[in-house]
Amino acid sequence: MQTFSAPFAGDFKRRAALIAVLAAAGLIAAGCGGNTDGPRPVQDDHGHEHGHAHDHGAEEAKTGRITVYGIRHWLYIEHPFVLAKHPSPFTTHVTDLKTSEPRREGPITLRLHGDSGEPLEVLAKAPTRPGIYIPDLLFPNPGTWRVSVLIPSEDGAEEVPLPDITVFSSDQEIAKAPEVGEPSGTSFLLEQQWKIPFKTEPVRKEEGAILIPESAVVPKEGQSIAYVQVSGETFAERQLRIARREDGKVWVETGLYEGDRVVTRGADAIVLAPLEEHAHGEEDAVEMDPKIREAIGLTSELAIEGALQVTLDLYGWVRPRPQDRVDIHSPIPGVVRKVHKWPGERVESGDPLLTLDVPEWLQWQRDVLHVYHERERVTDLKTYAEGEGRAAVAKLLGEIRVAAAEADKLRRETELLAEAGAGAVSRREIETKRGELSVAEATLEAKRLQALSWGFSEDDLKAFVAGLALSESARKVLPPEVSTSIRQSEFDLEEAVHHSLFSEANLLAWGFLKESLERLRKGDTTAIETVLVLKSPRSGVLMDVDVTEQEAITDEQRLLQLVDYSKVHVEVEVSESEIKAVVNRKADAFPVHVPGLGDQILEGRFVYFDTSIHPDVRKAHLVIELDNPDGKLLRDGMAVTVAVPLERRSGVLHVPKKAVLSDGFEKVVFVDEGEHFHRTVVRTGLETLARTEVLSGLSPGDKVVVEGNRALLLAVSAPKEGAADHGHSH
């Protein structure tokens, strides 16, 4: 919502109370009659009676008024009905649309285009008063003339065409010419508009309704109203029916029309304009009813004599703390399916930011599931392989025992045959038996060597052949191919576990729930998440979104930037001549004024002071830290003023800084004397962010107005009733 500068920056309730009180007191000027419900053109032909440069008889002179908007300037012109061959003063008010201020210097040229010949040009070299030129125009012939105003500026000359001007041939024609009544509404002079931040804008249509800024809406007696400019200094009140409000915008169903120009800044001042009628007594004093005082929130504080902290006021800019700026990158390639948050939105930790289709996201989950299935496979394999291995070991040991028994038997038989001698058995029989013994021993040796290669010891084999029980280690022996198979499966499982740990870490890092991960570890396939939802790692404001929906992203591509503004830094520029004062400061707490937050003073904390000078600006940086009100009011790049605490002065008379106003070349305050408020000129000295030293004009204990004083200044300085030209001092 657009805000108003003091005195018209009260909150919505205060404004409502003000308008209700003024309406009840009859202080809002009534219109001059006529219907204000329909649209009214900004240009108006003729209206108020006005002093005239030539005599039209006994009647007061008829006056024309023109309001016209250009690109850079807008004009309000007052002139008498024009008589050919007689000079007519065209009082021309020129306002800069960029600054809403009067044109203070430079010429303007009025070009007069008749039916034939070259246009006539009249040069007004400079304004007679800020914003007001009064050239005399001499039209040589009666008829319809086209007039334009040429206004040079630094952006180039702008030519603003006026509505056609009727030039009469005689006073009798002027007397017979119809006179259009004044547009109804509240009068608010340009001299008043120029004193305050004041702006009008054309309404526009959107979604079937008129769209205006929130600042254009003024509450009154429970209703919402807006002020429409019906001429340069007249504003009609329109009652609005509002469809909706959103982000500082208001959609209006009825009460406004395309082509209307509404007051978007300074609408409260139009309500306060009637206060000039209630400035009584001395020229520099205002008498105000207590109800009005309460309605506009007028408050006072005492002028105090005491100690005042001397400060070195330096300019700086708000910056996010480096540790609070987070860039979120893509973990792996994929495609953006949905963008949940956009730049400027505040997010909390855990809020979804992006939904991604990422093949590797599924692969990480498959890796976790694979460990579960691999562990089951290895368990089954070991059970089966160990069983097969035990059977092979038992078979080998059995064969060894059989071979050993066979060899012993053949050895005894051979020995018996040898003892019997050649006479008892044939030599051939003995040799045959010896051959059988050799084969049996060779078979036994082969089995023994095989058992030794499997891991049995000689002692284990001897004990087994002797019929003794195997040792503990011998009972664990398996065939090499079985052991190798088991070791390979265990290695595969270990590799899968390590791979899964890496995948689990990635899953957890990108927001996969621990509960879902535990379910995956147990083989629960329903825990699989098909898309990756990137969630905010912390609270903050989303600054950048670098991707759009359906966009393919690459590995390590930056997707978003998040900044936590709960605490911010202020970078203060310190010139070389100011370094000593900053180094010798009296404290590490710094009052900070942020113009965007009004009169609020924040307290900053010292972080560090540069030890080097930045060569491009020849300044060092002092960095302080601030708590951000509401976590969002301070924004990157906002300008601030930082008060570096130096000495303390005692015996200083001082008042709140906002009590002192500039009125032309004078500094003034309003002294509160109950029902009267006196404009008092003061001479000021030392200024801090919140207080101003008063050297003369006040005494300790004087009550000065700190809120509502601009309304008093407007009331005191407004043109008084009876001034020429309806309040203008041309």
Side-chain angles (χ1 to χ4, degrees):
M1 179 185 295
Q2 186 178 8
T3 58
F4 297 90
S5 301
F8 311 113
D11 59 26
F12 198 77
K13 291 182 179 179
R14 181 182 296 174
R15 293 165 64 193
L18 168 62
I19 295 170
V21 171
L22 292 178
L27 296 182
I28 296 179
C32 300
N35 181 13
T36 62
D37 293 336
R40 292 186 178 274
V42 171
Q43 295 182 357
D44 53 307
D45 295 324
H46 310 293
H48 302 167
E49 296 179 351
H50 196 285
H52 206 285
H54 41 83
D55 184 14
H56 291 171
E59 296 182 2
E60 293 186 8
K62 297 178 181 178
T63 303
R65 289 176 172 81
I66 299 170
T67 304
V68 62
Y69 280 81
I71 302 299
R72 174 65 188 269
H73 302 85
W74 76 274
L75 310 176
Y76 177 57
I77 300 175
E78 299 170 294
H79 65 87
F81 276 26
V82 180
L83 181 63
K85 301 179 182 179
H86 287 75
S88 299
F90 271 61
T91 303
T92 305
H93 305 72
V94 183
T95 305
D96 190 317
L97 283 172
K98 283 187 177 180
T99 63
S100 298
E101 293 184 355
R103 181 176 172 86
R104 301 182 187 278
E105 59 184 4
I108 64 171
T109 301
L110 285 84
R111 290 178 172 172
L112 286 55
H113 303 262
D115 292 334
S116 62
E118 292 295 321
L120 305 176
E121 292 191 351
V122 178
L123 175 66
K125 293 183 179 180
T128 58
R129 291 181 54 200
I132 301 174
Y133 296 79
I134 313 180
D136 283 328
L137 302 189
L138 181 64
F139 294 84
N141 301 310
T144 300
W145 287 74
R146 290 178 292 110
V147 178
S148 61
V149 181
L150 184 66
I151 309 170
S153 69
E154 67 275 9
D155 298 331
E158 177 184 18
E159 187 166 7
V160 182
L162 306 183
D164 290 346
I165 302 295
T166 299
V167 178
F168 297 91
S169 61
S170 66
D171 285 333
Q172 290 74 19
E173 280 193 13
I174 291 177
K176 294 177 182 179
E179 186 172 4
V180 180
E182 293 184 29
S184 62
T186 300
S187 176
F188 192 60
L189 305 182
L190 272 160
E191 285 86 342
Q192 294 171 288
Q193 297 176 33
W194 290 334
K195 282 182 176 289
I196 63 170
F198 192 84
K199 186 178 182 181
T200 65
E201 296 179 48
V203 302
R204 59 189 179 93
K205 202 164 188 178
E206 184 176 298
E207 300 177 6
I210 295 294
L211 178 63
I212 59 174
E214 178 79 41
S215 58
V217 181
V218 182
K220 178 183 176 183
E221 299 177 355
Q223 302 293 327
S224 295
I225 65 170
Y227 284 101
V228 174
Q229 186 180 35
V230 292
S231 77
E233 298 179 326
T234 305
F235 298 85
E237 177 186 307
R238 298 279 183 82
Q239 191 174 108
L240 310 179
R241 187 166 75 182
I242 294 175
R244 79 173 196 271
R245 301 174 189 254
E246 183 179 324
D247 296 332
K249 301 176 183 177
V250 177
W251 281 260
V252 178
E253 290 183 346
T254 61
L256 294 175
Y257 305 88
E258 285 188 273
D260 282 344
R261 195 170 188 98
V262 297
V263 179
T264 58
R265 194 175 187 193
D268 292 10
I270 299 176
V271 178
L272 287 170
L275 279 176
E276 65 182 83
E277 300 173 11
H278 297 266
H280 304 301
E282 303 174 37
E283 183 177 349
D284 287 344
V286 177
E287 180 181 344
M288 185 178 294
D289 185 276
K291 290 184 178 180
I292 298 179
R293 172 177 179 155
E294 181 181 355
I296 66 175
L298 193 147
T299 59
S300 303
E301 293 185 23
L302 295 176
I304 300 171
E305 186 172 18
L308 191 62
Q309 178 77 60
V310 179
T311 60
L312 172 63
D313 295 344
L314 302 173
Y315 293 106
W317 291 266
V318 174
R319 295 285 185 260
R321 301 191 307 174
Q323 63 267 37
D324 293 333
R325 191 189 296 270
V326 180
D327 287 335
I328 300 176
H329 293 80
S330 167
I332 40 180
V335 175
V336 179
R337 175 181 288 186
K338 183 174 179 59
V339 179
H340 296 279
K341 300 289 184 180
W342 296 99
E345 292 191 64
R346 178 163 182 82
V347 297
E348 302 299 330
S349 179
D351 283 354
L353 302 176
L354 297 173
T355 296
L356 307 178
D357 283 322
V358 180
E360 200 159 345
W361 174 255
L362 290 173
Q363 184 59 50
W364 290 339
Q365 297 175 72
R366 283 196 290 267
D367 291 343
V368 178
L369 283 172
H370 176 65
V371 170
Y372 170 79
H373 295 299
E374 186 68 9
R375 187 172 283 113
E376 285 192 332
R377 185 186 72 81
V378 170
T379 300
D380 293 343
L381 175 65
K382 286 179 66 176
T383 301
Y384 174 78
E386 286 178 354
E388 291 289 315
R390 296 280 180 263
V393 168
K395 179 181 178 183
L396 176 60
L397 292 177
E399 290 173 349
I400 289 175
R401 181 171 285 177
V402 170
E406 180 66 18
D408 286 344
K409 180 178 76 100
L410 291 174
R411 192 176 293 109
R412 287 194 300 272
E413 289 178 353
T414 301
E415 290 174 353
L416 289 174
L417 290 175
E419 290 175 359
V425 292
S426 66
R427 185 176 180 82
R428 180 181 178 82
E429 187 176 358
I430 292 174
E431 291 299 326
T432 300
K433 189 59 68 178
R434 285 176 177 170
E436 291 176 354
L437 175 59
S438 296
V439 171
E441 288 177 342
T443 300
L444 176 61
E445 181 64 13
K447 299 294 184 183
R448 186 184 70 83
L449 291 175
Q450 184 179 6
L452 291 174
S453 69
W454 284 14
F456 287 102
S457 66
E458 290 283 3
D459 293 339
D460 289 332
L461 294 178
K462 289 178 181 179
F464 180 75
V465 171
L468 300 177
L470 290 172
S471 66
E472 185 68 25
S473 60
R475 286 198 293 271
K476 295 179 180 179
V477 172
L478 291 173
E481 62 274 15
V482 173
S483 298
T484 299
S485 175
I486 291 175
R487 283 197 299 273
Q488 182 61 47
S489 63
E490 289 176 339
F491 175 79
D492 291 343
L493 175 60
E494 185 177 353
E495 185 179 36
V497 168
H498 284 299
H499 201 64
S500 174
L501 290 175
F502 173 78
S503 297
E504 287 182 10
N506 283 330
L507 289 170
L508 292 174
W510 294 101
F512 199 80
L513 295 177
K514 291 183 178 180
E515 296 81 359
S516 299
L517 181 60
E518 191 60 37
R519 289 166 56 197
L520 283 180
R521 289 170 179 162
K522 296 177 180 178
D524 185 356
T525 57
T526 62
I528 292 177
E529 294 182 6
T530 58
V531 293
L532 167 58
V533 179
L534 287 185
K535 298 179 180 179
S536 178
R538 62 187 303 172
S539 299
V541 177
L542 202 59
M543 301 305 296
D544 294 316
V545 176
D546 299 332
V547 293
T548 57
E549 293 180 358
Q550 306 307 316
E551 178 181 341
I553 56 176
T554 59
D555 191 18
E556 292 304 315
Q557 176 182 341
R558 195 184 87 154
L559 306 177
L560 315 106
Q561 185 182 74
L562 179 71
V563 179
D564 181 1
Y565 278 104
S566 57
K567 297 181 186 295
V568 296
H569 277 173
V570 172
E571 294 180 2
V572 184
E573 290 193 339
V574 182
S575 67
E576 295 181 48
S577 62
E578 296 164 335
I579 290 177
K580 183 177 180 180
V582 173
V583 170
N584 295 327
R585 64 190 180 277
K586 298 301 181 182
D588 283 342
F590 301 85
V592 179
H593 176 236
V594 185
L597 301 186
D599 297 325
Q600 186 176 3
I601 301 296
L602 307 177
E603 183 172 301
R605 301 173 292 276
F606 176 80
V607 178
Y608 68 88
F609 187 26
D610 265 356
T611 57
S612 60
I613 298 292
H614 293 257
D616 52 342
V617 294
R618 304 303 304 167
K619 292 184 179 181
H621 277 177
L622 167 68
V623 178
I624 65 174
E625 183 178 278
L626 286 176
D627 293 326
N628 194 351
D630 297 333
K632 59 184 178 182
L633 294 184
L634 299 179
R635 299 298 179 95
D636 189 5
M638 287 182 74
V640 304
T641 302
V642 176
V644 180
L646 304 179
E647 62 176 307
R648 289 183 69 85
R649 291 185 188 171
S650 59
V652 176
L653 179 63
H654 54 90
V655 297
K657 188 174 183 178
K658 57 187 176 181
V660 182
L661 302 176
S662 293
D663 189 9
F665 295 102
E666 296 178 323
K667 296 289 184 69
V668 300
V669 299
F670 281 89
V671 177
D672 184 350
E673 297 181 354
E675 294 184 358
H676 292 82
F677 302 90
H678 282 267
R679 176 185 178 277
T680 303
V681 178
V682 295
R683 188 164 62 91
T684 61
L686 172 69
E687 283 192 0
T688 70
L689 293 185
R691 310 289 295 183
T692 297
E693 178 185 15
V694 178
L695 300 175
S696 65
L698 290 178
S699 300
D702 284 345
K703 289 179 67 176
V704 294
V705 178
V706 294
E707 297 286 353
N709 49 353
R710 291 189 181 273
L712 298 176
L713 182 61
L714 179 65
V716 165
S717 58
K720 299 300 183 286
E721 186 176 355
D725 296 330
H726 299 277
H728 294 288
S729 300
H730 298 154

